[in-house]
Amino acid sequence: RIVDGDLYLESDGVLVLELPALESVDEMYIDVSKVAVLVLDSLQNCRSLAFDAEALATLSAISLTSVGDLDLYQTNLADLAGLGSLKQVTGTLSISGNANLSDVSALHGLSFISTLTVGTNASLSDGAVEAWVDAVGSHNIGSMELPF
């Protein structure tokens, strides 16, 4: 249930990765090229969470309300619905290289982002990013680097 330290998952032979009992981990890095479904239902505490999973299309609802750093890089996610309970990012939120990502509305509930970096995400419109920044409030974002 609790990993006292870092968790690094690397595989290219797993299609569904389920860690439903994991509640706490210091840092988690997921580098799995073929995982299409990731289940982290009980995750409540994580200082740094990074996804580099080009096949990842479904992210289960994560209970996490606060994270230090969150990096979403080269996933196959169309939306970020699994991150809807997230309320604050005290470090850097970086979203880049997610070709199918078109909907970030699940993150409209964020009340604080220290540093926001949005790179190229082919399907994510400037309007969707602007609506997200408006919903969070630019005064609640320490610094921003946007693709426009």
Side-chain angles (χ1 to χ4, degrees):
R1 301 183 74 138
I2 295 173
V3 175
D4 189 20
D6 302 343
L7 182 60
Y8 182 89
L9 303 170
E10 182 177 17
S11 174
D12 45 339
V14 177
L15 296 178
V16 176
L17 181 59
E18 295 182 90
L19 300 169
L22 182 63
E23 294 176 357
S24 179
V25 60
D26 188 33
E27 292 186 20
M28 178 183 280
Y29 181 74
I30 299 171
D31 181 5
V32 286
S33 61
K34 294 183 180 170
V35 169
V37 178
L38 179 61
V39 178
L40 297 168
D41 298 350
S42 299
L43 187 62
Q44 298 173 18
N45 183 29
C46 185
R47 188 173 52 87
S48 179
L49 185 58
F51 299 98
D52 183 355
E54 55 196 55
L56 184 61
T58 303
L59 181 61
S60 71
I62 297 175
S63 300
L64 197 61
T65 58
S66 178
V67 66
D69 297 314
L70 176 59
D71 183 16
L72 296 161
Y73 178 69
Q74 291 186 342
T75 71
N76 196 29
L77 294 168
D79 63 57
L80 302 177
L83 297 171
S85 66
L86 199 57
K87 299 299 176 205
Q88 64 177 347
V89 179
T90 59
T92 300
L93 172 54
S94 178
I95 302 173
S96 181
N98 302 285
N100 293 324
L101 185 63
S102 61
D103 183 0
V104 291
S105 63
L107 299 180
H108 282 202
L110 283 168
S111 59
F112 177 76
I113 305 170
S114 180
T115 302
L116 174 62
T117 302
V118 179
T120 301
N121 297 282
S123 300
L124 187 60
S125 70
D126 292 350
V129 175
E130 289 170 353
W132 173 32
V133 169
D134 287 347
V136 172
S138 59
H139 60 282
N140 292 322
I141 303 173
S143 64
M144 285 184 273
E145 187 176 318
L146 304 175
F148 49 87

